[in-house]
Amino acid sequence: MRRHLRASPLTVFVAGVLAGALITFLALWHGQPSATLTGGEGETMSESIVTEETFVLPIANLEAETATEESHIYTTADAEMLARLLYGEARGVASETERAAVVWCVLNRVDSDEFPDTISGVVLQAYQFGGYSSTAPIDSALLALAEDVLARWETEKKTGEDAGRVLPKEYTYFSGDGSRNHFRDAYIGGTKWDWSLPTPYTS
């Protein structure tokens, strides 16, 4: 007489769990499964199940977010440095034309082969502009004058035409007596500038 064995409910449950785990393992081993989502109006779209190895960050549209800015041959830092130089070298000078000439003197050096080719390099060159201090205040009127001369210098370089310079290119030295600045085309001797160019300034 045969005896029939009947599986207990616990055995059936455990077998079902193991079978489900085996099926899931085989599915993952053979390829990435995908879930199907239902969109609006009966459309379906596939959502890939992404593993750690295939995760990719979305790429931002940087071109749309980048604002274009007009390029200059000088920077805000250049203008502020020149304003500080004017504060130390020319704030007591009554003539705005003579104050502007200090900036032109610096720019003449930048354009010369005998001096550094940057504004900061010229201003910070040893034993040249003793009136400059990095801690000097930035006077708004002196900053506006420095920016005006820089804009004229840039226009001149881009167009090749005079834009209101008040000091010829060869004048790269000056000295002051407290009330006037005197510009020369040589370190020793040379010709002193006679202010014969027309000025765009009122004084």
Side-chain angles (χ1 to χ4, degrees), residues 81-92 131 136-139 142:
M81 175 172 278
L82 291 171
R84 288 189 168 101
L85 176 66
L86 287 173
Y87 185 87
E89 296 281 10
R91 74 180 183 276
I138 298 177
D139 179 85
L142 297 178

Side-chain angles (χ1 to χ4, degrees), residues 12-76:
V12 173
F13 174 78
V14 171
V17 170
L18 292 175
L22 180 60
I23 292 171
T24 301
F25 171 79
L26 291 174
L28 290 174
W29 186 65
H30 283 293
Q32 297 289 344
S34 62
T36 300
L37 302 177
T38 302
E41 300 181 358
E43 297 176 356
T44 59
M45 49 188 176
S46 178
E47 179 190 66
S48 297
I49 297 177
V50 182
T51 63
E52 183 178 355
E53 290 79 14
T54 60
F55 182 72
V56 180
L57 287 172
I59 299 175
N61 186 359
L62 297 179
E63 184 177 354
E65 297 176 1
T66 303
T68 58
E69 183 176 342
E70 183 183 359
S71 61
H72 293 287
I73 62 175
Y74 61 90
T75 65
T76 300

